[in-house]
Amino acid sequence: MKRVITADVQDHSGVLNRITGMLHKRQFNIESISVGKSERVGISKMTFVVNVSDDQKLEQLTKQLNKQIDVLKVKDITDHAMVARELALIKVVGSGQTRAEIQGVITPFRASLIDVSRDSLTVQVTGKPDKVEALISLLRPYGIKELARTGVTAFLRGQQPQEVTDLNTHLA
């Protein structure tokens, strides 16, 4: 089962390496990971999308994350109201008439052309992972030359139907 886990971590060098190394040792499959500064100075937010086989493995994952000294707070937000987005850059083979077709394909996705060359177009799309995946599959027949995805970044919506239980809180 796919889970979206967020973690507030100390903004120190090597934190990402220690956490991904721990997940690698425990054989968790990370589908995506994104990291960036948070609203608090010295604190970064990580968003993991991981595949776990059952609730026991999920519990093991969160416990292992909580053991990391640089991890301040861990949340499994999968079953809560959340905002999740991903960015993808897609370089597609395109010249002549196919350019107009590609423009017609990307418009409903609110994607944009960010680079045009003699034989290729670069498309930028942001949104839910399903939307990004749908656009990629529509562009695939034109010939994808290069693809880069950021991975999901997410947090809880401002209003939740129920209170979220923090798995670990070390923040003072």
Side-chain angles (χ1 to χ4, degrees), residues 7 10 25 28-29 50-51 79 105 125 136 145 151 160:
Q10 297 285 341
K25 276 187 200 170
F28 288 104
N29 182 26
V50 292
N51 269 317
D79 299 327
V105 168
V125 62
I136 290 169
K145 294 177 85 172
Q160 292 292 309

Side-chain angles (χ1 to χ4, degrees), residues 86-115:
E86 181 176 14
L87 177 134
L89 301 176
I90 311 157
K91 189 183 293 179
V92 183
V93 176
S95 61
Q97 185 177 352
T98 59
R99 289 179 186 227
E101 288 179 30
I102 291 170
Q103 183 70 41
V105 168
I106 69 170
T107 299
F109 289 86
R110 296 184 189 155
S112 56
L113 288 176
I114 59 170
D115 186 53

